[in-house]
Every structure is written in structure tokens, then in C-alpha cells.
Amino acid sequence: MSGWQQNLIIAPILIPLLAGAILLFFDERQRVVKAMISVVSCLALVAIAVSLFRLASYGPERFEGVYMLGNWPAPFGIVLVVDRLSALMLVLASILAVPTLVYALARWHAAGAHFHSLFQFLLMGLNGAFLTGDLFNLFVFFEVMLAASYGLLMHGSGPMRVKAGLHYIAVNLAAALCFLIGVSAIYGSAGTLNMADLAVRIGEIEGDRRMLLEAGAAILGIVFLIKAGMWPLNFWLPAAYSAATAPVAGIFAIMSKVGIYVILRLSLLVFGQGESAGLGLNVLLYGGMATVAFGTIGVLASQALGRLASYSVLVSSGTLLAVLGLNNGMVTAGALFYMVSSTLTIAAFFLLIELVERGQDAGASVLAVTMEAYGDADEEEQEVEVGVTMPATIAVLGVCFAACGILLSGLPPLSGFVAKFTMLTGMIGSGVSADAPIPASVWWIVALLILSGLAALISMTRAGIRTFWASMEGTVPRVLVMEMAPVLLLIAMTLALTVQAGPVMRYMEETVSGLQQPATYIDAVINARRVGVEEPGGPEGGGGI
Amino acid sequence: MNIMDHAVDLPVWAALLVSFFLVVGSGLTLIGTIGFSRLPSFYERIHAPTLGTSWGTGGIVMASMIFFTVLATRPVIHEILIGIFVTVTTPVTLMLLARAALHRDRAEGNPDVLAEVSPDEPKRGPALGE
Amino acid sequence: MVLVLLVCLPFLGSLAAIMLLRTDSRVLAARMAGAVTFLCLVLTAAVYPAVRSGGKLRLDIEWLPQFGLNFTLRMDGFAWLFAMLIAGIGCLVVLYARYYMSEEDPVPRFFSFLLAFMGSMLGIVLSGNIILLSVFWELTSIFSFLLISYWHNNATARDGARMALTITGIGGFCLLAGLLVLGHIVGSYDLDVVLGAGDQIKAHPLYLTALVLILIGALTKSAQVPFHFWLPNAMAAPTPVSAYLHSATMVKAGVFLLVRFWPALSGTYEWFMLVGIAGTCTLLLGAYFAMFQQDLKGLLAYSTISHLGLITTLLSLGSPLAAVAAIFHMMNHATFKASLFMAAGIIDHETGTRDMRRLSGLYRYLPITGTLAMVASAAMAGVPLLNGFISKEMFFAEAVETHADSMLDRMLPYIATLAGAFSVVYSLRFIHTVFFGPAPLDLPKPKPHEPPHWMRFPVEFLVLACLVVGIIPGLSIGPFLHSAVLSVLGDRTPEYSLAIWHGINTPLIMSMIALAGGVLLYILLKDYLARCDDGPPLFRHLAGQRIFERVLVTVSWKWARWMESRFGTRNLQPQLRLIAAAGLLAGVVPLYMAGFTPAPVAFSGVDPIFAAIWCIGAFCALAAAYQAKYHRLAALVLLGGAGITTCITFVWLSAPDLAITQLVVEIVTTVLLLLGLRWLPKRYEKVDNSVTLAARGRRFRDFLLAVSCGFGMFLLSYAIMKQPVPDAIASYFLEKAYTEGGGRNVVNVILVDFRGFDTMGEIVVLAIVALTVFALLRRFRPAADSIEKPEQQRIQAAYDDERPERSAGDTVRDYLLVPSVIMQWMFPVIVTFAIYLFMRGHDLPGGGFAGGVTMAIAFLLQYLAGGVRWAEDRLRILPLRWMGFGLLVAPLTGMGAWLFGYPFLTSHSQYLDVPFIGKVPMASALMFDLGVFSLVVGATVLILIALAHQSIRTHRVRNLDAPKAEEA
Amino acid sequence: MSQTILAVSLTFAQVCLAIAMALAALRMSRGPRAQDRVLALDTLYVNSMLLLMVFGIRTGKDIYFEASLVIGMLGFVATVALAKFLMRGEVIE
Amino acid sequence: MELVLAIGIGIMTGSGVWLLLRPRTYQVIIGLSLLSYAVNLFIFAVGGVKSNAAPLLGEGVDTSTLTDPVPHALVLTAIVIGFATTALFLVVLLAARGLTGTDHVDGREQPK
Amino acid sequence: MLPYPLLSASLVIMWLALNGFTLGHLILGCIVAVFASWGMASLRPAKPRLRKWYLLPKLVGIVLYDIVRSNVAVASIILGGHRRQFKSGFITVPLDVESPMALAVLAVVVTSTPGTAWLEYNSLNRTVLIHVLDLVDEAEWQTLIKGRYEALLMEIFE
Ligand code: NA
Ligand code: NA
């Protein structure tokens, strides 16, 4: 490994880390400086993620996407791996970060201490989880991400957030313990922590050790299912996501996707072939379906927009899980598209909700009451009246809301439709040969997908009518351009996804075909060359400089 | 006990000395703890563990020092730090705890406990029972 | 290119219109919309030569080619005819709306939606890819929603729009699924391919599935029974919208689809039955309902339903002639129904009501409009010399002649005649009630008069069309119809003639019966109709709308809420229970499925002392679990016992590093929990021991779960420990730690070098937590019962107060006088020890983390000894600086390797030979560890001190509250 | 010879200390008062420290020494905090 | 040794899980602490347990006789993270108690 | 530079005891000790004035001896608990020393000696409450503490 391109791989982790650390040296009152550091970091992340995305799309022949930390060879040291999938996730995370951060700058970043540091660390955790090729290191980055998310969830304090935070933390601590048990059971039975090495070794493990390995993997799987929000392990999610401040909920949209990412990664890399192939696919399939059903119910049952959005997260996760459970390349490619689209959608929706509800008297007064009762008057920064009443505010909000509704229910012309269409085509459409019988489970998924879309449609119209036409009479919410622009940007991205569906889907298909050939990944990791070392074995005196 | 292979080179006198200190140290500690579990009142129990923290620790520290010094044929004295720190810190614990107990007993009006001495009644006062 | 322009122009126009934010730009918006629609009309007309006699225009733009979804536009004769209809009537509607819409309405928005809707509709008819078709299909649903709800302050409009969207949305989703199945059968979504694969489709086992799904789509859109009820409710829309949506476009989309897929799907028994039943029911019920409407637009709406039923019925027959009739009637219906809607709109506009019970004798005010309406109504009733007559004749003919042996088929002529009679009744009623009879009383707008000419012009034009087509069908519509029919039926195109007069035949007799019967029936019903409530007898209470809304509310709200609470929870305990159970299952099921047999339990080699220590540890753990509810301090102390057992285990089993770390963490954790304990409520054992049976049950279940989890972990850990240690990566570390990592303590070398990246992440976690704790505590408010000083302090303060010789705080001062001296003197000692632990980490047990925590304990001890004020008066720790420094040093050390061309965190280890001193280890890893040390100190101190500060903060809060309480 | 002598005395010492720990643990759970429990914890700490030192002699390695030293030097901090909590109801004022 | 350790891990897990399912926040935090002991020991145990074979390199130490250092490193990381999260959980439960007035995990007393 | 020379020296000795004696560690130990005593200085403790520090070993000797003696005494009380009756009790001892450092040393001495426990010091009337396990004669204990330890301490400090 060599060249500056190689060092780009670690940049998505280091940049937010350094930014977060530097931010600690500034006082809370130096808000502008803090905001600037944060924004610059996020923009740099976008640039780097996009470059990595381009590099990864060249394929492993032209870009060696393995970074050996400390120059230690693969199964021993920790490696970071950039392939199409991780590059995609990096891009998604970073382009989600910019609008949510900008949105937060309007008011929310001042609602508590250390918002920017926590935000940066969250990005660090996300990027690390996407990049790492090591199971335990994955745990560490999970914890980084989660720890930051705890802080961000409770950013702004208040009883709802703290209560939700308590549940969220308790659940995630239990999950973290499972994570540790799973990883160590895998280490105890396979003797390695490196994912690629594990994929190699799993073929050689026999008998009892294999069973223990599978037990460990299953326990590990529970963690990712909790994170992804699979029913019945997902009750924490609506409470947490709907309690968080808008920008935080916005960036949280990608957090449940981390679980999905890991499941996708591990199931195809380690459990893609061999004796343990397909471990737990049925759990994904039926669990995913149950999740979609539960999410759909929740979407219908939600009166508050925040909960509606949170349940949409579950629908999105459930869809992905169920669809991944089918283990069908074409569908998986569609699922990746869906993941990107739904993440952007949900983020946009969370951001939008706050603006919309700002116009509603009830919500506003509740907020005011909590602020008064629980805010710490003497230390709290004065709540600045932000936003001006623009004539077109309602119109723009309405258009955005409609766009979100269209996206959530999978109606054309936005990317939600393309996403559903691609998945459905792989399940029941022209992607399946006319002679191939379609199993019942697929029909169930199709039915659930359609019903969930319908539920979103019903709920969103209900909510939209209530907020825009029935109760917003006369009151125009004060909204800053700085808050509106991020929402518009996110929606514009879904529009771009629709227009560029062809190239994007081609990337997704290549991603999936890459995942389906784990040998490439494994070779890249195991045979990655150390700097300044001719042969494996190392020079005299150690890997010194 | 093949685990003691490293002690092959230890002279018998040293072994005896080490054993002596070990037995004394651990024995005193045990006695102290027995006292701790058998003595009837807290103020009596508070004395018992000091057997362990004084010569209980001292004995084992000595044993360890002798053992490693003889074995390594150079003075190994870092164990003495343990002795010093235990000696210095145990009183802190005991004082604070005993005083806490005293406070509680007084607050509860326990008649067995000596009240705080006021200048006008220099010796034994009645229990703080109000 | 023309095709793209046709589809895109309306959308561009729509965008442009919405940009006209100023609502007073009414005329401008209308002009632009008019221009756009007219341009579309001209463009469509211009391409006629290309589609004449079976020609086709086609344009392919790649969109998602690998999934068979392309932006394919395709225009054949049928599409052309429809496009003409859409653009033509669109033009007229725009013109009409220019006058219809009032000053207060935000008109640009209206035209924007209308244009977008028109674009979507054009998209449907021009789609050459069936998925693209469904895209535009859904767009029409969305824009029709916006159009119907245009007057959104009106609750009826909102409800109607929502219902329309829900029904057509459901249909749209089904249609998409059906089209996907169609694609699955055919292997392509290209319309031409699909249309060419009719036999293959009909033979496929999924034919019925596809058919049903597609039919749901088509029938919902066309408002066919039983999905018809949305249409009347959509009448809350502005009349131009109704005129457009419910004559030429929206509802026609459904029958358009049936015609479009007619070659591919029709001709089977299933098709006949499904489409036929829906069609005939709609035909009859629609007409029946229409008779009893009191709302003008409601009447027209139900008549629309009925006429669409007619078209559907025609299509169900599967005969080519019937298809011709269907296409023809689509055109005819569009013309007369659009004109009728506009006429109704004029009446509404002029009189302020649409209620037929209030309208009467308007002919004297609106003679021209009245005449026009009469002609259009006659067309609707199927009176000869008008276009409606011809297509109805064709329908009667087909009803008689087609035979697909079934009950339905035998009944069809009678149904057709009856429906014909009904249509005569409602047409007659429309005219008679509104225009004849006495002058109207108490109209909302008392002086109705003829509208401006250009508002009436569309009606005139359409009525003219009715007449022209009705009188000279072959010359007017003939060629265009023929090219449309040709493009649908291809070589199955039958011989047909559009003549008015075919001699006296069965259809003519049927027509006569219907006309006569209709007139008779109207005379009979007249008086009843003038008084009755809105809605048909028998079915008045069976309002589809109400049923739908009730079902929707029940399913989507009541059931959903019930199920949400049934299958979800907002409580923590069930969630944790589920996680524990899931973890247990995940661990057990794979083992059970694979037939795992645990290794036999071996008692040999058990060190009795070790076993004894674990007895103590287990005892402590159990006792802690038992005591945690009421005896918190006891639980904490017992937890310490379990901790020390863990620590001894680490030592016993060769992990001195772990033991040290565990110990220091243990100490800090204890202090931490104690700091927290002060803010928790007092809990007394006696208070709540009335345990219900249910609670006992829950406890027993939890107990079982806990025991199972414990047993599971026992099995798992025993099994793994008993496995021969696999050829792990460990040997590499053991071999390279010294030679390449430059340290003898392999664990530490792993931590700061081999896996230093983990450590970096770990310190970030610590930093994050510290920041979060800090942020959270800044807003901390203790509960009411914790605000007060602890009981002990109050007693001691009171004691000090009581004695004259004592002053406040004497007790605590004396209490700490002697201990604090020792605690202070321990400070430098512990600091030295912390540095020692840090320095030697690389070679022997210790390291940055243990050193850092030890350092933090040194600080903590001073807080314990002297209190917050005393300590902070002397030690200015600035934890954030320590943290920031640590967080920078660790990665910067790692980045140092870049300077030499090595990857991040590559360590540099060397023993520097310093004179007199000897070899000094100079690993860059030490620098990294310094970062760890610094961060750990900062974070630990920050957490502890932030918590400790709450005590003095609440004193301040208490002081602030005190005056308030006095005032109150 | 020395091995035997040491083996016997080490075993004796370990048994004594283990019993001592057990007694302390019993007191810890029995109480009756909080200060008994805290004192028991402190005793348990000290006994563990001694046990670890004996273990060090038994293995002949002084790498376990730090663990004992940590207990000896820092173990009292937890007890101090507990005691202060009992006395003042608050650890840091 | 394995047996003793495994039983110990089992008992700590059982106690921890029991407490984790209790309604009071303090019980939960003690449960989490017990569970993290159990899990740390489990991680530690998977490398195989050996007495007197600490992974410290010295002159003439046969590396093959030493224990697997990897789990040790993992446990160290786990201890740190466990400490951090315990601290956080504590503060959050205090904040929740302050805001809701109860120490029930759901922020309100459950009906019996 | 060196606010507490004796402390610094002790820390250097501690450092060397921990690390073993090498020149490098001597230097490093000195650096650490200086650093640590600066830390101590920042706490601003009441600075002890050691007058006759050479008497310290004497004190240590006496105390060690007493501890041995009382170890035996207390052990016999515990082991013979049922056979031998003993009576424990509180005694109040008026003290003359005032230096907190000296008081601390006295407390350490009293508490380290099994059989006596330092309970509370009253700074107002300068008395200390001591609990004695085997209290036969109160006055004897008072003279023991005052005469045997306090006098020596008064000599050493101030
Ligand atoms: Na007083
Ligand atoms: Na004593």
C-alpha cells in the first residue's frame, strides 16, 4: 500500500476525530468558530467520501482499498477496507451530515453543550463502522457511534429526551454486552477477529467449534438486529428517534442502517458460502416482515409526526431486512438503492417535522412549557427567536411535506418509487424468469411493501391535511433559509437519484456482485502488502521507520 | 506441587523464615477476620481487622521480601511500600467509619455510646439521646 | 421529440405557474396555461400523419435499462385520439377556468396543478413502457388530489380529495404489482412486447393474479363498483376540475388502460366475468344513483360512473366490435360530459347553488346555456342525431349479439335497456328541474345571467362537436377513430360502420323502449324527486363513502393503535426481557440444531483456593442481586466483592494488566455510584410489599429467564474453554511484540501498537461520555425530595447550631481534620505511582489507562478530603484541556508515521543509548499512550467532578428558591 | 525440602486468607449496619491483597505485585467514599 | 479451573440478568455492572485459561507457553468502555429521576 | 524548586524501590519527584515543621513493638472470646499537640495498634475519643497515649 490515495481511507475517521478534539479547546460561547470547524470538517468528509467512492468504483484491480493500521499485516493488525459498499455508506453518511449540521446551526447547536464535538464523534463512529474490517474494531466504532448518539439524543435535555435516552442507553448497553459475547465466542472458536480471515477460516472449522462459532455469530447477529430495529427488538427506536431534536434525528436516520450494513457485509462475506452459508437468513426474512408489519401499524397509529417518521425508520429497516433475507442479488441491489433513498427521505422528513410543527400552536406551547419548567434558566443560552415569516414558507413547507409523503409511500416520481420498483422487479417482475415459481414468502413481502406504502400514504395525507390545511390557518411558522435549504437539498438528492437511477443502480449492482464474490475482498485483505516490507516476516529490528 | 519449581534453589533457612512469616501473617489475618465476624458490637469489631492490616500484612510483606531477595540474590524491598501504605491508609478508613457509626448511634440515641464531650462537662457525658 | 415535448411542456408550464407567487397574476397564469395546452393540442394534431392507419411514433430514453424501465414514449392512433381529447378539452377547461375562478383564489396554483395533471395524463397515454405508465398513473392520483382539495379550507373538499387519493392510490399500487407480474410473465416492461405476448400471458399460471391486480387499478381509477364512491365526493373540486377529471381524463385513465391491455388480457372467461360484472353493476347502479341526486354535479358524477360502466361492459365482451364501440363512446362521453359539467358550473356560478331542489326555471335567465345543456343532456340520454346515440346503439347491438354463455350474458340486453331508461330519466331531470318550471326563489345569488361569452364558448364548442359527430360521424370522427381502433385491434379490426341509420333492428327497438320508459319513469318519479333527500332509496344509508371512512378509521387508526400497543411497548423491562431471551435463543438454537453435546464436566485440576474465592464471588453477586432493591449501599458493597473476585481471577489466570485496570476502575466506579446514590429516592422495605399474583408471576418469569441466561453462559463459556485453543493470531503477537513492537508486555503492545486503533476508539468513547455527562449535568435538576441536604448533614448542622460554643461546620471539620492530612499527603505518592504505571506499561503491567485512572483517583481523593471548593481553590484541573490534548496527541502520533511514508499508527520503537543511563525505550507508542493517559485523566475527572458539583449547585438553587418560597 | 516447607506454609496461608475472605464476605452481606458492610469490604480488599502477595510467592513472579500495591495504596479510596457517604450522606461536598 | 470460572460466569450473568429486568434504575445499573464483570470474564476465558503464564516477554521465555494476550487486550478495552457507559447510564438515570421524580425505569410508577 | 525535600526524597526512594536502581531511574525518579512535590505544594497543606526528625526511628520502633504486643493481646481475646471476659469502652484523652500532621501521626499510631481505635477528635476542647477493646484501667491508657506517643510527637514536631 502506498500513495496519498491510500491515506484517504483513514481520513473519514481522523478528520472528525481531530475536529472534535480541536472543538474542545473552544469555549461554548465561541459558537461561530465551532460551527465553522464543524462545517469545514463535514465538507472535507464529503470530498473525501466522494473521492473514495470514485476510487472504489474503479474496482479492486485499480484501487487497493485496504489500509493496514500500524503497518501490521491483515489477520493480525486492524485493517480498514474500502469497497463499493463501504464507500457508498461513507458518501451517504457525509452527505447526510452536511444538511443536518447546517440545519442545527440555525438554533439547535446552542441548545446544550458540546453539540459539535458529539456530532463529529458520531460521524467518526459511523465512518469507522463502515470502514473497519475487524470485528472487535467494529465493536469499538459501534461504541463510539452509540456513545455520541446518547449525547446527541439527549442534546437539549428535557424529560422526554432523557426518558427516551435512558431506555435507549439501557437497550444498547445490553446489546453491547451481547456484542462482546458474540465477538469473543467467535474469537474463541475461530481464533481470529479479522473478517476476511474469519471468512477463510470458517471453511476449515469443524465440529463443535463450528457450532460454537455459529452460536457466537447468532448472538452477534442479535446486536445488529437490535441496531437495525427488527421487531420485537425495536421498541426503543420510535421513542428515541421522536424525542431527539430534529437535526439529531436527521443524522440518526443512517444509524439504523449501520446494523443493516454489517448484516449485509458479514452475511455475504463470512456466511455467503460453505457449511454455515445462509445462517439466519430466515430470521432476517421473517423478522424483517414482522418489522415492516409493525412499522406499518405504527405509521398508521401515529398522531405525532415524529413518531410517524420513527416508524417509517422501522418500515425502512424491516424492508431491508426482509429483502436481504431473500438473498437475491438483483433484489439486494435494489435494496441498496432503497437504503440510500429511504435514509435521505427520513432525514429530510425529520428536519421538516420541526419546521412544520413550529407553526402549530399546540406543539409550540408544549415546547415552551418544558423549556420553562426544566430549562436551567441561569445557564441556558437565551432562546433566540429565529426565522422570519416568508410569504412562500407554507408553500415550500407543503411541497417538501408532499415530497416526503411521496417518498415514504413509494409513489413516483421520486426515488422511493424507483427503489421499490427495483426491489419488486427482482422479486416478481421482469427480473425473475417467467418459468421460475415465486415462493409464498416473496408474495408476502410484496404485499407488505405495498401495504406499508399505502399506510404511509394514508398517514401522510392525514397528517398533511391536519397540519397544513386544518390547523395551520393563519399562523405561518418562522423558518430560516438555513433550515429550509437542508430539507430542499435532501429532497433534491432523491430527485437526482431518480433521474440518475440507471448509473446509480449500476453501481449498486456492481456492489452486490462484489459482495457475492467474497474471494476478491478476502484476497485484497490477506494479500495486502505492508509498506517497506519485501516479504512477509518483516525487516530487522521491527516495523520501524 | 510442581508449581513451586522455582523455589528449588531456595535455602532451607530461608524457606523456614518465609514460612514462619507467612503463617504468622495469614494466621493473624484470619484471627482478625474471625474477630470481625464474632465480636458483638461494631466498636469492638473495628479493632479486629487491624490484626490483618498491621502484622498480618507485615508478616506476608516480610515473607515476600525475604523470598524474592533470596531468590533474586539482590534486595527486593518494594513490598515494603505495601506495608507503609496499608499502615497509613487503614486509619483513615477506620476513623471515618467509626465516626460515622458514632454519629448514627448518637442520632438514634443509642445509650452505649459516649456523647461528644463539651467543655463544661469534660469527661463522660450522657448519651446524645434526644 | 414531439412526444417528449408533449409530456414535458405541461410540467414545465406547471413549474412556471407555481413560480408566479403573486396570486394576482391570475390572467397571466391562465394565458400561460392556455398557451401550453393549445401548444400541446397543435403538436398532437401535427403528428397525426405519423399515426394514421396503424402508424406509430416511438422514442426511447434510457432510464433504468437494466431493470427494463425506460423513458419510452409511444404514440399510436389510440394514444393520439386520447391525447387530442386531453389537450383539446384541457384547452377548453383552461379557458373556462379563466372566468370561473374567483378573485380570491390563488389561481397560479390552480393552473399549475391542472397543467401537471394534464402532463401526467398525457404521460399515461403516451407511455411505451408499462412501468412508466404506472408512474404517470400515480402522478394523476397525486395531482388530482391536489386539484380536488384546491379549496382546502372546505372540509368536504379535503375529505373528498383524501378519499380519491386513497382509493386511486390503492389501485395504483395494485396496478404496479400487476404490471410487474405482467413483466415477469413477458420478461419485459416494453408495451409493444407486452401487447405482442397476449397468448403467453393468458396461458401463464399468474395470469389471473396479474389480471386481478391490473383490474383493481383500472376499476378504481374509473370509479367502477365497488370502488365508485370516491367520484361523487370528488365533486367538491372546482367545476373546471370536475369537468376535466371526470369527463376526459382521470376516470378515463381506467378504461384507457383496459383498452390498452385489451389485446393482451381480454378474451378469457376470467376477463369477461370480472370486467363484465363490474361493468354491468356500475352501469346500472350508477344510473340508478344518478336519478336520485339532488346535487347537479352529483348527478353528473353518477352518470359518469354509469357511462364508464357502459364502456367497461363493452370491453368485457371481448369482441372487437365492442372494443370499437367502447373507444367511440369514450370520446363521446368526454365531449358531452365535459360540456355538461361546465354548464353545471355556469349554473352554480350564476345562482350560487347546485341543489336541484332550489333550482328551477332558469331558462328565462340563461337561455343559451340552457339550450346547450339540453343538447348535451340529450346526447347523454342517447337521443338520435347526437353522438351519444351512435355509441349507445353500438352498445345495444353488442349486448344482444355477443355470446359468452353465462347468466350475465343472457341478462345483458335487459340491463342495457334498463340502464338506458335510467339515463333518460336523469338527463331529463337535469334539464327539466333546472331550466323549466317556476322562477327560482331565494337563490343565493338572486339575479342569474348569462356568463361572459368566452366562459360559455367551451360549452358551445363541445355541444357543436356532439352534434357534428352525431350527424356526420363517418366524416368527422371516422378516420381518427379508425386509426385508433386499428392501433388497438391490429389485424383483428372488424368491419363497422358509423352510420346513424341501420334500419329498424333490435338495438333501435331497445333505444326506443329505453327512451319511452325513461320518460314515463321520470313522470312517475317527478314529484318524489323534487322533495326527496339526497341519494337513492334503498341504498341511501348504504353510503359507500361512509362505509369506507368507517373502515378506514377502524383499520388505519383504531386497530392500528390497538395493535401498536399490543405488539409493541413503551416500557423498558419487556424490551430488556426480549433482548435477553433473544440472546439466549441465539446462543442456544444454533447449538441445539447442530446437535451440540457439551464436554463432560471435569472436576480435576480445580484449584481449591480458586474455587473458594469464586464461592465468595458468586455469593457476593447473588447477594447483590438480592439486596439491590432496598439496601442499595449493601448492593454496592457486595458488587465490590464480586469485583475483587474478578480481579483476583485475572491475577490467578495470568492477566496482571487486567487486574490493575479492573481495580482502579472498580474504585472509581464505586465513588461514582455513591455520588449518584445521593440523588436517588430513599427506599424502605416496608413500603410496598403487597405483591400481587401477577407481579409474582412476572418475577418468576424473570427468575427463570435469569437462571436460563446464567446457565446458557455457563455452558457457552465452559464449552469454549474446553475447546482446544485454535491456531489463533495470538502466537504472532507473542513473537513480534518485542522484536517488532518494542515492548515486553504483549498486552500493552497490542493495545498501543498492534491494535492501537481500538484504543484510540476507546478513548474517544470515554471522551464522548465525559462530554455527554457534562452536558447533561449542566441541565440537571434534582427531584424535589433530593434537593434538601442529606439527613445526616441536617442533623449535624442542627447539632452545631444548638451548642453555643460550636459554629456551623465544626462537625465536618473535625471529622475530616485528621484523615484529610493523610489524604493530602497521599496525593504526590499516588501521582508518582500513576506516572510509574504509565511509564512501565510497555514492558510490564500498567499502561496509559491504568495510569490515567490512578491519576484521576489522586485528584478525586483531594475532592474527598477537602470538598469541591477547597480542592478547586488549589487544583485547577481543566479536564477539557486534558481531554483535548489527549485526543490530539494520540492521532497526531499516529499521523507522524505519514511523514515517513508509513500508514497511520505505524510505531517507531527503538532503544536509545543514553550515556550513563543505558538503554532507554523510545517507542512512539509511548507518545500514543501519553494521549491515552491524558484523556483518561481528563475524562474521569470531568465525569466525577461534574457529578460532585451538583451538590454545591443545588445549594445554590436552594438558596435561589428560598426567597420565592417566602414570598408565596 | 524448601519446596515442601513452602508448599505447606503457602497452602496454609492461602487457606487462612480464603477463610478470612469468606468471613468478610459473610459480614458484608449480614451487616447488620452499613458501616459493618463497608468495613467488611475494606477487610476483603486487604485480605485479597495478601492473597495476591501469597500467590506471587507461590508463582515466584513479582509481576503480580502491582495489583497488591494498587489495593494497598488506592483501595482505601472507595472505603473513604463509602464512609463519608454514611457520615454525611454525600461523598463530595 | 474452567469449571469454576464457567460457573462463576454463569452465576454473575444470572444475577445480572435478574437485576437488569427489575424496575428500579439502581437495580438496572448494578445489574449492568455485574453483567459486565461476567462478560469481561467470558472474553477473558475464550482465550483459554492458564495460571502463571502472563504474556510478558523476558529472557528465555517460551512464547508458546504464555496465555493468549488478545482477549486480555479486548477485556481492557471492554473495561474502559464499560466504565464509560456505566458512568453515562448513572448520570442519565439521575437526570431522568430529576425530571420525572421517580426512579422507575419508565419514568412513572407502574400500576400494580 | 523543592518545596518538600523530605517528601521528594521519599518519592525518589519509592520510585527506585518500584523500578529498581539504575542511573536512568534515579534521574527519572528525581524528575517525577519534583513534579509530584509541586503538585503537593499546590495543595498548600499546613507545612509540618520537623524539629527532631531523627527521633522518628525511635517512634517507629516503639510503635512496631507495641503493635506486636497488642497483636498478641487482641488475638488472644478473639480466640479466647468465650472463656475470657473482656470489657471494651470509650475513653477521652485530652491532647496537647495541635499540628494536624502530628495529630495524623498519632491517629495512625493509635489506630494501627490493634485494640485501640481513634474515633473522633474535638478541635474545640482538643480531646480525642478513643475506643479500647480491652479497657481495664482508663487512666493507664491515657498515660500510655499521652506519655508514650504524644510526648515523642511533640518533640518531633514543633
Ligand atoms: Na453553634
Ligand atoms: Na487499632
Side-chain angles (χ1 to χ4, degrees), chain C residues 550-622:
Chain C
R550 205 163 289 171
V551 168
L552 195 68
V553 165
T554 311
V555 173
S556 77
W557 180 245
K558 289 186 183 156
W559 288 5
R561 284 183 79 85
W562 179 80
M563 292 211 286
E564 188 207 14
S565 62
R566 190 78 192 74
F567 296 107
T569 176
R570 295 191 183 192
N571 297 343
L572 179 63
Q573 289 158 275
Q575 298 188 42
L576 291 174
R577 208 174 284 138
L578 279 166
I579 290 174
L584 182 67
L585 281 178
V588 171
V589 170
L591 294 182
Y592 179 77
M593 302 253 280
F596 182 80
T597 42
V601 170
F603 289 95
S604 61
V606 173
D607 185 334
I609 305 294
F610 186 69
I613 287 159
W614 262 104
C615 286
I616 296 165
F619 172 78
C620 286
L622 291 171

Side-chain angles (χ1 to χ4, degrees), chain A residues 6-85:
Chain A
Q6 216 59 34
N7 284 330
L8 273 185
I9 299 177
I10 195 165
I13 297 170
L14 286 182
I15 288 177
L17 168 59
L18 292 174
I22 291 169
L23 283 166
L24 292 182
F25 289 97
F26 292 95
D27 192 65
E28 282 299 318
R29 275 158 297 185
Q30 291 163 285
R31 231 173 254 157
V32 179
V33 186
K34 288 197 144 194
M36 267 166 56
I37 294 172
S38 211
V39 168
V40 167
S41 157
C42 284
L43 289 176
L45 276 181
V46 172
I48 284 161
V50 169
S51 345
L52 282 173
F53 185 82
R54 293 172 59 94
L55 287 171
S57 63
Y58 295 152
E61 301 78 29
R62 286 184 52 196
F63 173 64
E64 194 188 327
V66 179
Y67 195 84
M68 290 182 290
L69 287 154
N71 207 19
W72 298 110
F76 311 112
I78 295 168
V79 290
L80 303 180
V81 188
V82 175
D83 64 350
R84 288 190 181 89
L85 181 60

Side-chain angles (χ1 to χ4, degrees), chain B residues 47 50 94, chain F residues 110-117:
Chain B
H47 296 283
T50 49
L94 292 183
Chain F
V110 169
T111 312
S112 296
T113 315
T116 48

Side-chain angles (χ1 to χ4, degrees), chain B residues 46-51 53-54 90-91 94, chain F residues 70 74 107-118 131:
Chain B
I46 209 167
H47 296 283
T50 49
L51 288 181
T53 57
S54 56
T90 309
L94 292 183
Chain F
S70 43
V74 173
V108 168
V109 167
V110 169
T111 312
S112 296
T113 315
T116 48
W118 177 290
H131 187 265

